[in-house]
Amino acid sequence: LLLPLGAFIAAFAIGLVVWLSRRRLSPLRELQIAVRKREFIVHYQPIVELRTGRCIGAEALVRWRRPDGSLVRPDLFIPLAEESGLIAAITDQVVAHVVLDLNRLLVANRSLHIAVNLSPADVETARILPVIEKALQHTGIRPRQIWLEATERGFVNIDSARSTLIRARELGHAVAIDDFGTGYSSLSHLEGLPLDALKIDKSFIDTIATNSATSSVTPHIIDMAKTLKLKIVAEGVETQAQADYLLERDVDYGQGWLFAKPMPAAEFIAYCRRMKPSA
Ligand code: C2E
Ligand code: MG
Ligand code: MG
Ligand code: MG
């Protein structure tokens, strides 16, 4: 009788441990733990000059690497991070990675820049600027090699956003508006902002060389960007037809699967070596 009872108790104990360890934590709790354990890494997607095909840098795109090795896309956790205020700590981890991953590459090649995505809260509080300043200390990276991407969506306080962007440029960074065309970007609203570049949202690039209803909007978006006399980056370029169209319209830079997908730091460094940026 004792033997089966012992086996039963052992099986029960093992079952309990497995159940406890698999019990699902709330998404917020999981994200908090991930932040504490620094589970965020960065992939880099090359940005190329359309006229020459030369790589001018990359966008830093965050990924959450779970303990099982799987990667979670930012769309699935950035909204929760923004709502909960965890985004600030995640942005810090992205900045730390950029410096650690690419210090040598950026010092060896001054023409390269890395664009970091900022959430509206990052832009409104300006807390990130001293964080970047500190991260760049004791590296050879120059402030102008760090671009900051801000979306127009979600600014609660446009005045504090503006003063952060002004300060960022005083420090030497370039500032780009991300997902251009999808927000409330009336020109008047953007004209007051200190900007260097506009990134035209993928949804407009998607319609190029199609006959969809919105394809007629894209040339106007490009013209609008041009009237602001800013550098233009087209995001989500997937086909040669799109690249040809953009080149015809004097769009400066492109980013998309046609050129390269986002990749781990080591691959991006190898990519740059292969491409030998001419400049
Ligand atoms: P985004 O800043 O507009 O970044 C461009 C997104 O388009 C990236 O998605 C990129 O992988 C994807 N993409 C680029 N080229 C192509 C293409 O040719 N075809 C297709 N189908 N997709 C393309 P990803 O990496 O999933 O990032 C999604 C969004 O998450 C970003 O959009 C950005 O808003 C946000 N995000 C990413 N990293 C960060 C970060 O470090 N901080 C913050 N606050 N947001 C981030
Ligand atoms: Mg971006
Ligand atoms: Mg974008
Ligand atoms: Mg976009």
Side-chain angles (χ1 to χ4, degrees):
L1 186 76
L2 267 179
L3 202 64
L5 187 65
F8 175 78
I9 291 171
F12 179 78
I14 290 168
L16 187 68
V17 166
V18 168
W19 177 77
L20 278 174
S21 66
R22 292 213 184 139
R23 200 173 40 159
R24 285 193 66 81
L25 299 167
S26 77
L28 178 58
R29 190 76 196 105
E30 280 192 284
L31 198 61
Q32 283 168 335
I33 293 170
V35 167
R36 204 179 58 225
K37 291 173 141 181
R38 305 187 70 86
E39 289 179 357
F40 298 91
I41 62 157
V42 177
H43 281 184
Y44 299 91
Q45 184 177 33
I47 300 172
V48 305
E49 187 174 48
L50 289 168
R51 199 170 44 77
T52 60
R54 174 174 80 93
C55 173
I56 61 151
E59 177 173 7
L61 295 159
V62 72
R63 272 94 183 93
W64 174 4
R65 189 170 54 197
R66 315 279 313 237
D68 67 2
S70 61
L71 291 184
V72 184
R73 290 176 25 208
D75 297 333
L76 297 176
F77 62 85
I78 292 286
L80 180 59
E82 289 180 344
E83 275 167 38
S84 61
L86 286 170
I87 190 66
I90 295 175
T91 308
D92 288 0
Q93 289 184 32
V94 169
V95 169
H97 268 292
V98 168
V99 168
L100 255 136
D101 292 344
L102 300 180
N103 187 21
R104 287 179 56 192
L105 177 74
L106 293 173
V107 169
N109 197 323
R110 294 296 182 191
S111 66
L112 290 177
H113 77 259
I114 301 298
V116 173
N117 288 285
L118 299 183
S119 284
D122 293 318
V123 180
E124 285 181 353
T125 64
R127 185 203 56 90
I128 191 63
L129 296 180
V131 170
I132 296 174
E133 221 178 342
K134 188 142 180 275
L136 295 192
Q137 268 172 16
H138 315 299
T139 74
I141 303 169
R142 295 188 178 144
R144 68 170 172 76
Q145 292 181 280
I146 304 295
W147 286 25
L148 302 178
E149 292 189 6
T151 53
E152 328 158 61
R153 108 195 114 78
F155 281 144
V156 176
N157 188 336
I158 189 81
D159 290 324
S160 52
R162 182 183 294 115
S163 62
T164 301
L165 300 182
I166 290 171
R167 182 73 191 122
R169 290 175 96 228
E170 284 168 1
L171 289 167
H173 304 301
V175 172
I177 290 291
D178 206 350
D179 304 329
F180 179 65
T182 61
Y184 333 87
S185 50
S186 69
L187 277 183
S188 54
H189 159 171
L190 283 180
E191 264 173 338
L193 291 176
L195 301 175
D196 300 277
L198 293 178
K199 298 190 76 169
I200 299 181
D201 192 65
K202 178 178 186 302
S203 56
F204 299 102
I205 309 306
D206 283 343
T207 67
I208 293 173
T210 69
N211 291 316
S212 74
T214 47
S215 62
S216 59
V217 177
T218 304
H220 296 294
I221 293 284
I222 294 173
D223 286 344
M224 210 156 104
K226 283 197 178 153
T227 59
L228 291 168
K229 302 219 162 39
L230 300 171
K231 290 289 183 193
I232 307 176
V233 185
E235 48 172 46
V237 182
E238 292 182 347
T239 68
Q240 189 58 49
Q242 292 167 344
D244 292 343
Y245 174 99
L246 294 165
L247 192 56
E248 240 165 66
R249 284 171 186 267
D250 269 331
V251 170
D252 307 280
Y253 307 122
Q255 178 183 347
W257 295 356
L258 175 66
F259 310 109
K261 289 193 172 180
M263 56 186 100
E267 268 178 53
F268 176 62
I269 292 165
Y271 171 93
C272 289
R273 205 168 288 139
R274 273 201 311 282
M275 296 288 287
K276 288 205 196 78
S278 49

